Amino acid sequence: MVQTCEKLKQDLKKLEPIEFYMKYIIKSYNWYFEEVLEREEQELINITDDFKEIIMKNFNVGFHSVQMVGSAKIGFSLSPRKSFREFIRFDSNSEDYDDKHDKVSDLDLAIISPRLFEEIWAAIRTANKVQRLPTRKYNSITNAIFNGYINDSSLEYVTGGLHLVKDTINSANVELRDTFSIPNPISYRIYRSWEDLENYQLIGIESARRNLL
């Protein structure tokens, strides 16, 4: 199934946000696997399962606690700032190393784990007591916490045992790249619950929809 921006916009107008979320985010079709990794449609379920299994083993979470989201999942960004920009592929022909990595899209992975969420949030609070985090950054983190998620970028402020989470991310990235030859950067977001993931996605879908109507 070849995904086009026009078809995406048509469905945004036609479908209710929850219907769009189920069709494009939750169901098994994966634009990145089909268009970038050039896998056949009949392979998508198996490759999605293998992908999830790697995350499951590395993060010690449930098999159904992993979900790819964002432009890698559907081919285009729903962010109002990006105006349905197509996923930017890694350019191996670029001579500039920074251009190769800084001007491409990430694979955005959601991991739903109340345990990880609480552990990381507790570690961030502890880090803030030991040494005050920059106000703007701390406010950004707490706003995300209020909405039920923690970005992997917040881990730079975490010390102690949760360095293991950083090691886990590095280990998972190596295995994913070795197994699937993924050239794009991979980013992680830990959600407190499936409801928090759904709420976040629905807000983005509703915003994109309003911009079209």
Side-chain angles (χ1 to χ4, degrees), residues 89-103:
R89 307 177 190 221
F90 178 85
D91 181 8
S92 60
N93 295 318
S94 172
E95 295 180 359
D96 188 323
Y97 179 85
D98 290 332
D99 279 350
K100 286 183 182 181
H101 293 82
D102 294 343
K103 297 180 180 179

Side-chain angles (χ1 to χ4, degrees), residues 148-165:
Y149 65 85
I150 301 174
N151 293 317
D152 58 3
S153 59
S154 301
L155 293 174
E156 66 180 288
Y157 298 101
V158 172
T159 58
L162 279 185
H163 273 301
L164 292 174
V165 179

Side-chain angles (χ1 to χ4, degrees), residues 57-73:
K57 290 189 300 183
N58 279 277
F59 284 87
N60 192 27
V61 296
F63 179 81
H64 295 293
S65 298
V66 182
Q67 183 67 50
M68 188 183 293
V69 296
S71 58
K73 183 66 166 64

Side-chain angles (χ1 to χ4, degrees), residues 28-209:
S28 61
Y29 172 75
N30 187 298
W31 179 90
Y32 187 86
F33 292 158
E34 185 168 335
E35 297 297 322
V36 178
L37 300 189
E38 299 180 340
R39 300 302 179 99
E40 297 295 330
E41 191 168 352
Q42 60 267 27
E43 294 182 82
L44 293 183
I45 292 178
N46 286 337
I47 191 175
T48 299
D49 286 350
D50 293 343
F51 190 95
K52 287 184 174 183
E53 188 174 359
I54 289 172
I55 301 299
M56 176 193 77
K57 290 189 300 183
N58 279 277
F59 284 87
N60 192 27
V61 296
F63 179 81
H64 295 293
S65 298
V66 182
Q67 183 67 50
M68 188 183 293
V69 296
S71 58
K73 183 66 166 64
I74 65 176
F76 302 88
S77 174
L78 297 182
S79 169
R81 295 179 290 106
K82 298 179 181 178
S83 302
F84 295 96
R85 185 183 72 189
E86 186 172 358
F87 183 90
I88 301 175
R89 307 177 190 221
F90 178 85
D91 181 8
S92 60
N93 295 318
S94 172
E95 295 180 359
D96 188 323
Y97 179 85
D98 290 332
D99 279 350
K100 286 183 182 181
H101 293 82
D102 294 343
K103 297 180 180 179
V104 299
S105 298
D106 288 5
L107 269 72
D108 296 322
L109 301 184
I111 298 177
I112 297 82
S113 173
R115 172 187 58 80
L116 266 180
F117 180 91
E118 294 299 337
E119 287 177 3
I120 296 171
W121 177 215
I124 291 172
R125 294 199 304 272
T126 299
N128 190 53
K129 290 177 183 176
V130 174
Q131 181 175 352
R132 282 285 182 186
L133 304 182
T135 301
R136 181 177 296 180
K137 184 62 181 178
Y138 188 73
N139 289 342
S140 174
I141 291 172
T142 53
N143 180 65
I145 294 290
F146 178 79
N147 287 291
Y149 65 85
I150 301 174
N151 293 317
D152 58 3
S153 59
S154 301
L155 293 174
E156 66 180 288
Y157 298 101
V158 172
T159 58
L162 279 185
H163 273 301
L164 292 174
V165 179
K166 300 176 189 177
D167 293 340
T168 296
I169 288 174
N170 291 334
S171 175
N173 285 347
V174 168
E175 191 170 352
L176 290 172
R177 291 189 175 114
D178 286 348
T179 303
F180 302 108
S181 300
I182 293 173
N184 287 75
I186 303 170
S187 63
Y188 297 82
R189 182 175 280 181
I190 311 299
Y191 281 88
R192 179 174 48 201
S193 69
W194 275 101
E195 288 79 9
D196 289 314
L197 170 62
E198 181 178 299
N199 288 339
Y200 182 87
Q201 292 295 318
L202 290 179
I203 288 170
I205 291 167
E206 288 166 354
S207 177
R209 190 169 185 251

Side-chain angles (χ1 to χ4, degrees), residues 5-15 212:
C5 191
E6 276 311 305
K7 178 65 169 65
L8 200 73
K9 289 178 178 179
Q10 288 171 12
D11 276 351
L12 266 175
K13 294 176 183 178
K14 179 177 67 175
L15 300 176
L212 291 176

